[in-house]
Amino acid sequence: MIQLRKPVLYNGFEIKDGVKTINRLVHELSVDVYRLTNNNYLVLFIGIEIKDLRIANYDIIEVNVGDMTYPATILSKFSKSSLNKLVATATKKYGFSSVEGMHDLKEILINDVINPLRDSKKYAKFKVSIPNGILLFGPPGCGKTFIIRKLAEELGYNFMELKHSDVGSPYIHGTTISIGETFKEARANAPSIVFIDEIEGMVPKRDRLTSNSEYKREEINEFLMQLNDAGKQSVLVVGATNRPNLIDEAIIRTGRMDRLIYVSPPDLKAREELFKKFLSDRPIHNLDYHKLAWFSSNYSCADIEYISTEAAREAVKSDLDFISQEVLEKVIFKTPSSISKEELEQNEHFIGKQRR
């Protein structure tokens, strides 16, 4: 079963001057909230550095746990809505504001998921709800996992990642039971997003299974049963795959995965924004971002990050004062795209089935 992340601070952890934690009240993607012995509340930021907080808005303290330092703030009152507001205003980039490019995909998620949740009365009037499930497909390294994590941030939902390796069991029926327990936990902590990366490993085509794979058919049937009406229980199920042709057809029927969305390699504008992002904290001089984007057609987000890092490494090795256009172009020309022609063709063949 997928477990929610363990508390960073144990009960009785001393914050300062004899003030200690009583227990963890809330676990979100990027924060933990603890009740304190002085009747205040500690908001501990997880995975966010102090430099990424608007310190002027809140009194930020540092909490040291072993060799780790976490930024935190103390509130006299606490509610779920106040927490969402705090995180949204205290961080420089949060949710979709930290996503470079992917404008079409963000627009789809805003219209189909975020707006129905934020204006539920309006959508309920027309009997429109969020999709039961979403399947993101496309070449690797193009941000499928990243965008769903940011969707969870944007909504303030609990984020649970369901990996086949985590629910796998050597015992008969063990994996089936784990799948059921995971969804039970998601419902108990709703609203939640259950994200399944490489979903083709969880629900492969049943007509390709051998006669000795009855246990796998049982797992697929359990997943289908849990997927049915998940949205009505405030659980959004999102799958991601680089190989959509290997997924069982029953998963992508309407009423299960209602939205099939192609996540393409970043377009020209997105590649410009990605180069700006990955080079922003490095010494640079007189760069032509449009030209860099033009030279990197069909490169993934991961490819552009790699190129930016390799260019920085090359500048250091050559004892340069900054990263130049020449250095970046040199790295681009010797670094082929990680997306193969076959991967593009496989996904483009599936595009005709997408529902947006």
Side-chain angles (χ1 to χ4, degrees), residues 1-8 24-32 34 46 80 149 152 156-162 166 181-195:
M1 182 177 69
I2 302 295
Q3 298 290 334
L4 292 177
R5 173 172 46 77
K6 293 181 179 179
V8 173
R24 182 173 72 173
L25 292 177
V26 174
H27 158 72
E28 297 286 2
L29 183 65
S30 57
V31 295
D32 279 353
Y34 298 84
I46 311 297
K80 187 69 177 292
R149 288 185 180 275
Y157 272 30
N158 284 305
F159 182 89
M160 301 176 66
E161 188 167 356
L162 178 60
D166 289 339
E181 288 178 342
T182 298
F183 276 89
K184 181 180 178 181
E185 186 171 352
R187 290 190 294 270
N189 291 279
S192 302
I193 291 178
V194 176
F195 176 69

Tab-separated table of all heavy atoms in Angstrom, residues 1-8 24-32 34 46 80 149 152 156-162 166 181-195:
chain	number	residue	atom	x	y	z
A	1	MET	N	0.843	-1.201	0.000
A	1	MET	CA	0.000	0.000	0.000
A	1	MET	C	0.874	1.245	0.000
A	1	MET	O	1.913	1.290	0.637
A	1	MET	CB	-0.888	-0.012	1.250
A	1	MET	CG	-1.851	1.161	1.330
A	1	MET	SD	-2.927	1.061	2.784
A	1	MET	CE	-1.747	1.335	4.095
A	2	ILE	N	0.439	2.263	-0.732
A	2	ILE	CA	1.179	3.525	-0.744
A	2	ILE	C	0.946	4.248	0.572
A	2	ILE	O	-0.174	4.458	0.997
A	2	ILE	CB	0.697	4.416	-1.892
A	2	ILE	CG1	0.856	3.692	-3.231
A	2	ILE	CG2	1.449	5.733	-1.912
A	2	ILE	CD1	2.259	3.407	-3.613
A	3	GLN	N	2.017	4.632	1.208
A	3	GLN	CA	1.908	5.344	2.475
A	3	GLN	C	2.120	6.835	2.255
A	3	GLN	O	2.928	7.251	1.435
A	3	GLN	CB	2.983	4.838	3.460
A	3	GLN	CG	2.837	3.366	3.805
A	3	GLN	CD	1.611	3.109	4.653
A	3	GLN	OE1	1.140	3.978	5.376
A	3	GLN	NE2	1.085	1.906	4.553
A	4	LEU	N	1.350	7.657	2.963
A	4	LEU	CA	1.631	9.081	2.955
A	4	LEU	C	2.988	9.308	3.598
A	4	LEU	O	3.411	8.539	4.467
A	4	LEU	CB	0.554	9.842	3.730
A	4	LEU	CG	-0.841	9.859	3.103
A	4	LEU	CD1	-1.804	10.584	4.034
A	4	LEU	CD2	-0.833	10.517	1.742
A	5	ARG	N	3.686	10.340	3.166
A	5	ARG	CA	5.018	10.612	3.679
A	5	ARG	C	5.009	10.730	5.207
A	5	ARG	O	4.132	11.336	5.803
A	5	ARG	CB	5.528	11.925	3.059
A	5	ARG	CG	6.827	12.410	3.632
A	5	ARG	CD	7.378	13.580	2.851
A	5	ARG	NE	6.398	14.600	2.543
A	5	ARG	CZ	5.967	15.496	3.430
A	5	ARG	NH1	6.386	15.472	4.678
A	5	ARG	NH2	5.074	16.409	3.076
A	6	LYS	N	5.999	10.131	5.829
A	6	LYS	CA	6.094	10.171	7.292
A	6	LYS	C	6.352	11.599	7.754
A	6	LYS	O	6.975	12.390	7.047
A	6	LYS	CB	7.230	9.259	7.764
A	6	LYS	CG	6.982	7.779	7.525
A	6	LYS	CD	8.147	6.953	8.048
A	6	LYS	CE	7.902	5.471	7.835
A	6	LYS	NZ	9.042	4.644	8.317
A	7	PRO	N	5.875	11.945	8.947
A	7	PRO	CA	6.143	13.295	9.469
A	7	PRO	C	7.646	13.557	9.562
A	7	PRO	O	8.423	12.679	9.954
A	7	PRO	CB	5.493	13.272	10.853
A	7	PRO	CG	4.456	12.208	10.776
A	7	PRO	CD	5.017	11.154	9.864
A	8	VAL	N	8.062	14.751	9.200
A	8	VAL	CA	9.472	15.131	9.334
A	8	VAL	C	9.824	15.280	10.810
A	8	VAL	O	10.923	14.913	11.243
A	8	VAL	CB	9.742	16.448	8.575
A	8	VAL	CG1	11.159	16.946	8.837
A	8	VAL	CG2	9.516	16.256	7.075
A	24	ARG	N	1.126	15.881	13.992
A	24	ARG	CA	0.936	16.449	12.658
A	24	ARG	C	-0.551	16.450	12.338
A	24	ARG	O	-1.217	15.417	12.413
A	24	ARG	CB	1.701	15.650	11.592
A	24	ARG	CG	1.569	16.252	10.195
A	24	ARG	CD	2.453	15.576	9.161
A	24	ARG	NE	1.984	14.253	8.792
A	24	ARG	CZ	2.494	13.504	7.818
A	24	ARG	NH1	3.518	13.970	7.116
A	24	ARG	NH2	2.029	12.305	7.554
A	25	LEU	N	-1.053	17.625	11.954
A	25	LEU	CA	-2.472	17.751	11.636
A	25	LEU	C	-2.751	17.544	10.154
A	25	LEU	O	-3.762	16.937	9.781
A	25	LEU	CB	-2.977	19.156	12.019
A	25	LEU	CG	-3.039	19.509	13.503
A	25	LEU	CD1	-3.488	20.947	13.653
A	25	LEU	CD2	-3.993	18.579	14.230
A	26	VAL	N	-1.869	18.075	9.310
A	26	VAL	CA	-2.129	18.093	7.865
A	26	VAL	C	-0.865	17.717	7.120
A	26	VAL	O	0.235	18.139	7.482
A	26	VAL	CB	-2.599	19.499	7.405
A	26	VAL	CG1	-2.735	19.546	5.886
A	26	VAL	CG2	-3.928	19.856	8.053
A	27	HIS	N	-1.044	16.912	6.088
A	27	HIS	CA	0.039	16.609	5.165
A	27	HIS	C	-0.404	17.018	3.774
A	27	HIS	O	-1.418	16.539	3.272
A	27	HIS	CB	0.359	15.115	5.178
A	27	HIS	CG	1.059	14.655	3.928
A	27	HIS	ND1	2.361	14.975	3.656
A	27	HIS	CD2	0.616	13.937	2.856
A	27	HIS	CE1	2.701	14.445	2.481
A	27	HIS	NE2	1.647	13.825	1.978
A	28	GLU	N	0.302	17.956	3.164
A	28	GLU	CA	0.055	18.329	1.775
A	28	GLU	C	1.329	18.058	0.993
A	28	GLU	O	2.331	17.606	1.539
A	28	GLU	CB	-0.336	19.813	1.667
A	28	GLU	CG	-1.632	20.168	2.366
A	28	GLU	CD	-2.866	19.672	1.621
A	28	GLU	OE1	-2.699	19.020	0.568
A	28	GLU	OE2	-3.989	19.921	2.084
A	29	LEU	N	1.277	18.337	-0.310
A	29	LEU	CA	2.420	18.029	-1.160
A	29	LEU	C	3.685	18.747	-0.709
A	29	LEU	O	4.758	18.181	-0.677
A	29	LEU	CB	2.091	18.408	-2.613
A	29	LEU	CG	3.163	18.071	-3.647
A	29	LEU	CD1	3.331	16.566	-3.755
A	29	LEU	CD2	2.801	18.657	-5.004
A	30	SER	N	3.562	20.011	-0.317
A	30	SER	CA	4.758	20.800	-0.029
A	30	SER	C	4.841	21.307	1.402
A	30	SER	O	5.780	22.023	1.732
A	30	SER	CB	4.829	22.002	-0.983
A	30	SER	OG	3.654	22.772	-0.871
A	31	VAL	N	3.885	20.962	2.262
A	31	VAL	CA	3.926	21.421	3.648
A	31	VAL	C	3.391	20.357	4.597
A	31	VAL	O	2.589	19.506	4.225
A	31	VAL	CB	3.103	22.720	3.865
A	31	VAL	CG1	3.693	23.886	3.116
A	31	VAL	CG2	1.649	22.514	3.481
A	32	ASP	N	3.874	20.420	5.837
A	32	ASP	CA	3.277	19.714	6.979
A	32	ASP	C	2.823	20.769	7.978
A	32	ASP	O	3.483	21.797	8.141
A	32	ASP	CB	4.298	18.795	7.671
A	32	ASP	CG	4.480	17.465	6.949
A	32	ASP	OD1	3.725	17.200	5.992
A	32	ASP	OD2	5.391	16.710	7.331
A	34	TYR	N	1.803	21.226	12.050
A	34	TYR	CA	1.875	20.584	13.361
A	34	TYR	C	1.198	21.464	14.414
A	34	TYR	O	1.353	22.689	14.411
A	34	TYR	CB	3.337	20.354	13.777
A	34	TYR	CG	4.107	19.441	12.865
A	34	TYR	CD1	4.713	19.931	11.704
A	34	TYR	CD2	4.248	18.086	13.153
A	34	TYR	CE1	5.427	19.096	10.857
A	34	TYR	CE2	4.962	17.243	12.314
A	34	TYR	CZ	5.552	17.759	11.170
A	34	TYR	OH	6.250	16.923	10.340
A	46	ILE	N	8.175	21.687	2.914
A	46	ILE	CA	8.933	20.513	2.489
A	46	ILE	C	9.327	20.694	1.028
A	46	ILE	O	8.487	20.931	0.163
A	46	ILE	CB	8.097	19.217	2.623
A	46	ILE	CG1	7.440	19.144	4.003
A	46	ILE	CG2	8.954	18.002	2.319
A	46	ILE	CD1	8.415	19.062	5.140
A	80	LYS	N	-7.895	24.982	6.624
A	80	LYS	CA	-7.413	24.487	5.337
A	80	LYS	C	-7.340	25.616	4.310
A	80	LYS	O	-6.386	25.715	3.536
A	80	LYS	CB	-8.365	23.390	4.836
A	80	LYS	CG	-7.874	22.668	3.580
A	80	LYS	CD	-6.664	21.829	3.878
A	80	LYS	CE	-6.218	21.053	2.637
A	80	LYS	NZ	-7.170	20.013	2.231
A	149	ARG	N	1.999	16.909	-10.700
A	149	ARG	CA	2.417	17.375	-9.366
A	149	ARG	C	2.030	18.850	-9.181
A	149	ARG	O	1.579	19.253	-8.106
A	149	ARG	CB	3.930	17.204	-9.184
A	149	ARG	CG	4.378	15.752	-9.015
A	149	ARG	CD	5.865	15.660	-8.722
A	149	ARG	NE	6.296	14.288	-8.566
A	149	ARG	CZ	6.229	13.604	-7.432
A	149	ARG	NH1	5.736	14.197	-6.357
A	149	ARG	NH2	6.638	12.368	-7.359
A	152	ALA	N	-1.643	19.169	-8.509
A	152	ALA	CA	-1.945	18.900	-7.102
A	152	ALA	C	-1.638	20.120	-6.242
A	152	ALA	O	-2.392	20.457	-5.319
A	152	ALA	CB	-1.142	17.679	-6.617
A	156	GLY	N	-4.262	22.094	-4.104
A	156	GLY	CA	-4.109	21.778	-2.691
A	156	GLY	C	-4.562	20.367	-2.373
A	156	GLY	O	-4.972	20.054	-1.254
A	157	TYR	N	-4.509	19.478	-3.368
A	157	TYR	CA	-4.927	18.087	-3.184
A	157	TYR	C	-3.772	17.255	-2.615
A	157	TYR	O	-2.601	17.553	-2.840
A	157	TYR	CB	-5.317	17.473	-4.525
A	157	TYR	CG	-6.762	17.657	-4.922
A	157	TYR	CD1	-7.490	18.783	-4.514
A	157	TYR	CD2	-7.405	16.724	-5.721
A	157	TYR	CE1	-8.803	18.946	-4.894
A	157	TYR	CE2	-8.726	16.885	-6.110
A	157	TYR	CZ	-9.417	17.997	-5.696
A	157	TYR	OH	-10.712	18.168	-6.070
A	158	ASN	N	-4.126	16.183	-1.919
A	158	ASN	CA	-3.123	15.187	-1.568
A	158	ASN	C	-2.682	14.493	-2.849
A	158	ASN	O	-3.500	14.209	-3.731
A	158	ASN	CB	-3.711	14.154	-0.596
A	158	ASN	CG	-3.822	14.703	0.800
A	158	ASN	OD1	-2.853	15.172	1.377
A	158	ASN	ND2	-5.017	14.658	1.374
A	159	PHE	N	-1.404	14.230	-2.950
A	159	PHE	CA	-0.837	13.594	-4.139
A	159	PHE	C	-0.306	12.225	-3.756
A	159	PHE	O	0.541	12.108	-2.874
A	159	PHE	CB	0.289	14.457	-4.711
A	159	PHE	CG	0.905	13.912	-5.970
A	159	PHE	CD1	0.380	14.243	-7.203
A	159	PHE	CD2	2.011	13.078	-5.919
A	159	PHE	CE1	0.953	13.752	-8.380
A	159	PHE	CE2	2.582	12.582	-7.071
A	159	PHE	CZ	2.059	12.927	-8.313
A	160	MET	N	-0.831	11.195	-4.387
A	160	MET	CA	-0.388	9.832	-4.133
A	160	MET	C	0.081	9.219	-5.441
A	160	MET	O	-0.675	9.189	-6.417
A	160	MET	CB	-1.515	9.000	-3.523
A	160	MET	CG	-2.049	9.541	-2.215
A	160	MET	SD	-3.451	8.592	-1.578
A	160	MET	CE	-2.652	7.027	-1.226
A	161	GLU	N	1.313	8.768	-5.469
A	161	GLU	CA	1.852	8.148	-6.679
A	161	GLU	C	1.805	6.640	-6.520
A	161	GLU	O	2.391	6.072	-5.589
A	161	GLU	CB	3.283	8.620	-6.943
A	161	GLU	CG	3.812	8.156	-8.282
A	161	GLU	CD	5.098	8.859	-8.685
A	161	GLU	OE1	5.534	9.770	-7.958
A	161	GLU	OE2	5.657	8.500	-9.735
A	162	LEU	N	1.083	6.005	-7.409
A	162	LEU	CA	0.904	4.555	-7.374
A	162	LEU	C	1.874	3.914	-8.358
A	162	LEU	O	1.747	4.084	-9.573
A	162	LEU	CB	-0.540	4.205	-7.737
A	162	LEU	CG	-0.931	2.725	-7.799
A	162	LEU	CD1	-0.709	2.057	-6.447
A	162	LEU	CD2	-2.379	2.582	-8.228
A	166	ASP	N	5.612	-0.713	-6.147
A	166	ASP	CA	5.245	-0.539	-4.747
A	166	ASP	C	4.100	-1.457	-4.330
A	166	ASP	O	4.051	-1.938	-3.201
A	166	ASP	CB	4.838	0.917	-4.480
A	166	ASP	CG	6.019	1.867	-4.536
A	166	ASP	OD1	7.163	1.380	-4.376
A	166	ASP	OD2	5.806	3.071	-4.755
A	181	GLU	N	-6.400	-1.112	-1.304
A	181	GLU	CA	-6.062	-0.338	-0.107
A	181	GLU	C	-5.567	1.066	-0.468
A	181	GLU	O	-5.832	2.032	0.258
A	181	GLU	CB	-5.000	-1.086	0.699
A	181	GLU	CG	-5.540	-2.338	1.397
A	181	GLU	CD	-4.462	-3.079	2.154
A	181	GLU	OE1	-3.268	-2.846	1.868
A	181	GLU	OE2	-4.804	-3.907	3.021
A	182	THR	N	-4.860	1.164	-1.581
A	182	THR	CA	-4.377	2.475	-2.019
A	182	THR	C	-5.544	3.408	-2.320
A	182	THR	O	-5.562	4.572	-1.904
A	182	THR	CB	-3.485	2.332	-3.262
A	182	THR	OG1	-2.348	1.540	-2.932
A	182	THR	CG2	-3.027	3.701	-3.760
A	183	PHE	N	-6.532	2.908	-3.054
A	183	PHE	CA	-7.691	3.740	-3.373
A	183	PHE	C	-8.522	4.027	-2.125
A	183	PHE	O	-9.097	5.116	-1.996
A	183	PHE	CB	-8.541	3.071	-4.452
A	183	PHE	CG	-8.056	3.348	-5.846
A	183	PHE	CD1	-7.107	2.526	-6.442
A	183	PHE	CD2	-8.530	4.438	-6.555
A	183	PHE	CE1	-6.646	2.788	-7.724
A	183	PHE	CE2	-8.085	4.707	-7.834
A	183	PHE	CZ	-7.132	3.880	-8.426
A	184	LYS	N	-8.566	3.093	-1.207
A	184	LYS	CA	-9.263	3.336	0.050
A	184	LYS	C	-8.599	4.485	0.805
A	184	LYS	O	-9.273	5.365	1.367
A	184	LYS	CB	-9.241	2.063	0.904
A	184	LYS	CG	-9.958	2.201	2.238
A	184	LYS	CD	-9.893	0.893	3.024
A	184	LYS	CE	-10.578	1.034	4.385
A	184	LYS	NZ	-10.496	-0.237	5.167
A	185	GLU	N	-7.276	4.492	0.814
A	185	GLU	CA	-6.537	5.568	1.478
A	185	GLU	C	-6.748	6.902	0.767
A	185	GLU	O	-6.887	7.951	1.399
A	185	GLU	CB	-5.047	5.223	1.516
A	185	GLU	CG	-4.218	6.211	2.315
A	185	GLU	CD	-2.784	5.745	2.514
A	185	GLU	OE1	-2.463	4.593	2.161
A	185	GLU	OE2	-1.989	6.538	3.035
A	186	ALA	N	-6.796	6.858	-0.573
A	186	ALA	CA	-7.033	8.088	-1.344
A	186	ALA	C	-8.403	8.669	-1.024
A	186	ALA	O	-8.553	9.887	-0.873
A	186	ALA	CB	-6.915	7.793	-2.836
A	187	ARG	N	-9.412	7.805	-0.897
A	187	ARG	CA	-10.758	8.285	-0.555
A	187	ARG	C	-10.791	8.847	0.858
A	187	ARG	O	-11.458	9.856	1.127
A	187	ARG	CB	-11.776	7.148	-0.707
A	187	ARG	CG	-12.029	6.740	-2.160
A	187	ARG	CD	-13.210	5.792	-2.276
A	187	ARG	NE	-12.960	4.509	-1.634
A	187	ARG	CZ	-12.434	3.457	-2.239
A	187	ARG	NH1	-12.075	3.527	-3.528
A	187	ARG	NH2	-12.246	2.322	-1.602
A	188	ALA	N	-10.061	8.195	1.770
A	188	ALA	CA	-10.027	8.667	3.160
A	188	ALA	C	-9.336	10.018	3.280
A	188	ALA	O	-9.636	10.791	4.201
A	188	ALA	CB	-9.324	7.628	4.038
A	189	ASN	N	-8.418	10.304	2.374
A	189	ASN	CA	-7.682	11.574	2.406
A	189	ASN	C	-8.123	12.513	1.284
A	189	ASN	O	-7.396	13.422	0.896
A	189	ASN	CB	-6.173	11.305	2.300
A	189	ASN	CG	-5.613	10.638	3.535
A	189	ASN	OD1	-5.344	11.293	4.532
A	189	ASN	ND2	-5.455	9.318	3.476
A	190	ALA	N	-9.324	12.263	0.759
A	190	ALA	CA	-9.842	13.094	-0.335
A	190	ALA	C	-10.015	14.541	0.135
A	190	ALA	O	-10.260	14.784	1.318
A	190	ALA	CB	-11.162	12.517	-0.829
A	191	PRO	N	-9.887	15.484	-0.799
A	191	PRO	CA	-9.638	15.286	-2.230
A	191	PRO	C	-8.203	14.861	-2.521
A	191	PRO	O	-7.274	15.361	-1.898
A	191	PRO	CB	-9.951	16.662	-2.828
A	191	PRO	CG	-9.682	17.628	-1.720
A	191	PRO	CD	-10.063	16.920	-0.455
A	192	SER	N	-8.055	13.933	-3.444
A	192	SER	CA	-6.739	13.357	-3.729
A	192	SER	C	-6.549	13.189	-5.229
A	192	SER	O	-7.515	13.068	-5.992
A	192	SER	CB	-6.599	11.972	-3.076
A	192	SER	OG	-6.775	12.020	-1.689
A	193	ILE	N	-5.290	13.183	-5.615
A	193	ILE	CA	-4.904	12.771	-6.962
A	193	ILE	C	-4.100	11.481	-6.833
A	193	ILE	O	-3.128	11.430	-6.081
A	193	ILE	CB	-4.067	13.849	-7.675
A	193	ILE	CG1	-4.929	15.072	-8.008
A	193	ILE	CG2	-3.444	13.295	-8.959
A	193	ILE	CD1	-4.165	16.202	-8.664
A	194	VAL	N	-4.532	10.442	-7.535
A	194	VAL	CA	-3.773	9.200	-7.607
A	194	VAL	C	-3.098	9.182	-8.979
A	194	VAL	O	-3.768	9.181	-10.015
A	194	VAL	CB	-4.670	7.961	-7.442
A	194	VAL	CG1	-3.847	6.685	-7.631
A	194	VAL	CG2	-5.318	7.956	-6.063
A	195	PHE	N	-1.781	9.215	-8.973
A	195	PHE	CA	-1.022	9.286	-10.214
A	195	PHE	C	-0.302	7.968	-10.452
A	195	PHE	O	0.389	7.454	-9.570
A	195	PHE	CB	-0.009	10.431	-10.150
A	195	PHE	CG	0.876	10.518	-11.366
A	195	PHE	CD1	0.347	10.895	-12.584
A	195	PHE	CD2	2.232	10.215	-11.286
A	195	PHE	CE1	1.147	10.975	-13.718
A	195	PHE	CE2	3.039	10.296	-12.408
A	195	PHE	CZ	2.495	10.674	-13.625
